[in-house]
């Protein structure tokens, strides 16, 4: 496509200080579905990574001294690229958001070790790579200034090689090679047909050693004044439009985007349920691509900034109608696709459960290859199912008789146990689980990226019942968080009669929230002055040594030690009032001084600094910290507290080896290996 050709170049050449560096750029296949639109997309033809990179290495080699590949392929793909090509010097990779420190050294086809560098994501780190190169051969002295009078001149090397047409290197002089012609205006595409003899500038610089440093981008780096001035109006406008620091909820445990066993994940389940049950959507079940959820939500406050990190793409929720057969095909494809990633599901689902039989999928692929055929999912044996026991999860039930279609349903809980409860019993997670029927129709919701074939799910692309609800996926997730029960209600739900609303800190969730929210609101305090006007007065009066004394009186320490049960109260003023009440009754701390050691020291050495009307005793830092605590106390009781877990919606059946004796007494693994060795095979165990 013309517009894309002008924007994306396959390579570029950078000349610096007499050194020419060729830089090849590579994107991963899944990027294509992100930039395609409509039926024909942009008319892009997908080519194999290794073939493409090697072809550009061959084009660049005569022109440059060093070749670098910048990729968005992923770690495994980068390693394969290096191992299966020759001529690369360095690979700077990405896509998996990891940091390789130190870089990996991967051998290429010639046995040369090529550094592979990954420097993370989101500008959390800058990777600095310093390499030392040495000349391994002289620059080709081939004279390009003479014109050709015939093939003999080409073979003798007495003319400009660019004018000699050729079919192979044998048609060229020893210092030249047969290579495609270059159209400089079109960034290296070959022009016309055939090839020409081109002078070979040997790869005359070899990487001898390198040093790699990962530099964290944090507040220890000085701010660049010019860049800050350039960004200031954009930051102010962004802050006006969107408050990224806004806290929309609190989670007492991390919401992970990947499941512990490769199945469904807490964050994936939360998002999928949001997509299925959101107003204006109301689908039977939902699914979203696992890699579309870009990061975890860690324990603590949930901010709008986090939501943009978790869901950076402006996706909306699309709905469509699928037959039972299409549902089967959707999850068959997901199982097949997940097989190549250790049976870690590539979908997160809501309103449905099933088993990913990666074992069957693997054996089907192997069977096809053993028959000498290339395996293609579209032309598989459709009678072999890769997804098993697909069930749509309907309403709550006490027993199967309460399900709408008991003949194809069971009433069970999230662990799979059958429910047969008495009237009035707590239903818990008991739900009607209805087997998907080939002839039934189901309303399905997903993100519009997947609906148009993204992440390889082209099976959805041509569904003619698609409707884009216009509901923004990120906004739907934010709304679902805001509609979650408040943290204080979670405490009442979990603790029952043991929860005392007067003593909120007896609930761990509230205690964690108070600590985490205080820390979050205190982040801005770090930049404030930590010394008060009184402290500076003491320093100027020669009493700076007093500043090393504690600001907590012995009376306050005594209260804290003797009345620790008062900390069950949530608000600081309630805690202090509780301690004073207890002390009035028990008088355990009456003999302790109510003046702090610092004040006592200043009273002796700089009494003039104790005038609070002139010298404020509270520093901006301490004042900010106190405000942060008060703000946390106000927020925690009213913050939504979303919860989610991996509840077994997707159960993996991973590939496994068959029994060695096949049930027919074939022998133990050791005996089998020894028999193979005796027969002359190279078998080991």
């Amino acid at each position: 496509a013309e517009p894309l050709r002008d924007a994306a170049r396959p390579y570029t050449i950078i000349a610096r200080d007499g050194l020419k560096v060729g830089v090849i750029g590579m994107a991963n296949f899944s990027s294509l579905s992100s930039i395609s639109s409509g039926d024909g997309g942009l008319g892009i033809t997908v080519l194999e990574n290794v073939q493409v990179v090697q072809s550009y290495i061959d084009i660049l080699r005569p022109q440059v001294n060093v070749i670098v590949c910048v990729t968005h392929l992923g770690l495994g793909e980068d390693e394969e690229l290096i191992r299966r090509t020759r001529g690369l010097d360095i690979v700077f990779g990405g896509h998996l958001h990891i940091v390789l420190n130190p870089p990996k050294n991967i051998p290429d086809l010639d046995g040369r070790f090529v550094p592979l560098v990954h420097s993370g994501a989101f500008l959390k780190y800058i990777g600095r790579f310093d390499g030392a190169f040495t000349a391994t051969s002289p620059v080709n002295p081939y004279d390009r200034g003479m014109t050709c009078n015939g093939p003999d001149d080409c073979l003798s090397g007495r003319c400009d090689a660019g004018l000699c047409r050729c079919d192979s290197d044998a048609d060229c002089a020893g210092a030249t090679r047969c290579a495609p012609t270059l159209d400089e205006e079109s960034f290296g595409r070959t022009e016309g047909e055939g090839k020409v003899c081109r002078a070979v500038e040997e790869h005359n610089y070899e990487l001898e050693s390198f040093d790699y440093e990962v530099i964290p981008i944090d507040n220890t780096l000085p701010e660049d004044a010019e860049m800050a001035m350039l960004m200031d109006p954009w930051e102010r406008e962004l802050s006006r439009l969107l408050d990224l620091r806004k806290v929309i909820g609190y989670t007492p445990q991390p919401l992970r985007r990947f499941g512990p066993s490769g199945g469904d994940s807490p964050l994936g389940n939360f998002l999928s349920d949001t997509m299925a049950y959101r107003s204006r959507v109301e689908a039977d079940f939902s699914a979203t691509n696992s890699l579309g959820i870009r990061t975890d939500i860690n324990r603590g406050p949930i901010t709008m900034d986090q939501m943009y990190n978790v869901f950076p793409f402006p996706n909306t929720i699309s709905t469509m109608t699928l037959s039972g057969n299409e549902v089967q095909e959707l999850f068959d494809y997901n199982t097949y696709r997940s097989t190549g990633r250790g049976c870690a599901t590539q979908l997160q689902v809501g309103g449905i459960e099933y088993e990913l039989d990666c074992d069957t999928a693997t054996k089907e692929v192997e069977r096809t290859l053993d028959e000498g055929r290339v395996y293609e999912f579209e032309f598989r044996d459709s009678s072999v199912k890769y997804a098993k026991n697909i069930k749509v999860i309907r309403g709550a039930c006490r027993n199967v008789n309460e399900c709408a279609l008991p003949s194809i349903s069971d009433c069970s809980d999230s662990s799979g146990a059958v429910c047969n409860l008495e009237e009035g019993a707590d239903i818990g997670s008991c739900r009607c689980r209805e087997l998907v029927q080939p002839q039934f129709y189901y309303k399905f919701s997903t993100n519009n990226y997947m609906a148009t074939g993204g992440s390889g799910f082209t099976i959805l692309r041509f569904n003619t019942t698609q409707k884009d609800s216009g509901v923004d996926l990120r906004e739907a997730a934010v709304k679902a968080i805001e509609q979650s029960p408040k943290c204080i209600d979670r405490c009442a739900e979990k603790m029952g009669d043991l929860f005392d609303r007067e003593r909120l800190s007896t609930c761990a969730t509230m205690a964690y929230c108070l600590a985490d929210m205080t820390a979050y609101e205190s982040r801005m305090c770090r930049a404030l002055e930590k010394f008060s006007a009184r402290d500076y007065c003491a320093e100027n009066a020669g009493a700076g040594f007093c500043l090393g004394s504690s600001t907590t009186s012995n009376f306050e320490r005594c209260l804290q030690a003797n009345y620790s049960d008062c900390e069950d109260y949530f608000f600081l003023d309630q805690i202090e009032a509780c301690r004073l009440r207890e002390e009035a009754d028990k008088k355990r701390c009456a003999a302790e001084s109510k003046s702090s050691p610092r004040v006592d020291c200043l009273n002796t050495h700089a009494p003039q600094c104790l005038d609070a009307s002139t010298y404020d005793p509270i520093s901006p830092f301490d004042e900010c910290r106190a405000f942060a605590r008060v703000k946390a106390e106000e927020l925690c009781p009213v913050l939504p507290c979303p919860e989610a877990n991996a509840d077994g919606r997707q159960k993996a059946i991973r590939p496994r080896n068959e029994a060695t004796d096949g049930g027919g007494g074939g022998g133990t693994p050791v005996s089998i290996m020894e028999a193979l060795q005796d027969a002359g095979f190279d078998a080991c165990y």
Side-chain angles (χ1 to χ4, degrees), residues 9 30 34 80-81 91 189 339-340 344 415 467 484 494 504 528 533 550 614 616 630-631 662 676:
R9 306 183 181 187
S30 62
S34 302
E80 180 187 27
L81 183 68
V91 173
R189 286 188 305 284
T339 299
S415 67
K467 293 181 181 178
S484 299
K494 292 178 180 178
L504 298 182
L528 299 180
S550 173
T614 304
D616 190 345
V630 172
K631 190 170 182 181
L676 288 171

Side-chain angles (χ1 to χ4, degrees), residues 24-31 47-50 52-53 69-82 88 91-97 116 118 341:
I24 302 170
M26 289 294 292
N28 56 319
F29 290 158
S30 62
S31 299
L47 300 176
E48 198 273 330
N49 291 334
V50 172
V52 169
V53 171
C69 195
V70 180
T71 82
H72 191 262
L73 299 175
L75 181 60
E77 290 80 356
D78 284 339
E79 291 187 14
E80 180 187 27
L81 183 68
I82 295 173
L88 288 174
V91 173
F92 295 105
H95 184 42
L96 294 188
H97 299 181
L116 171 58
H118 280 233
R341 303 197 178 192

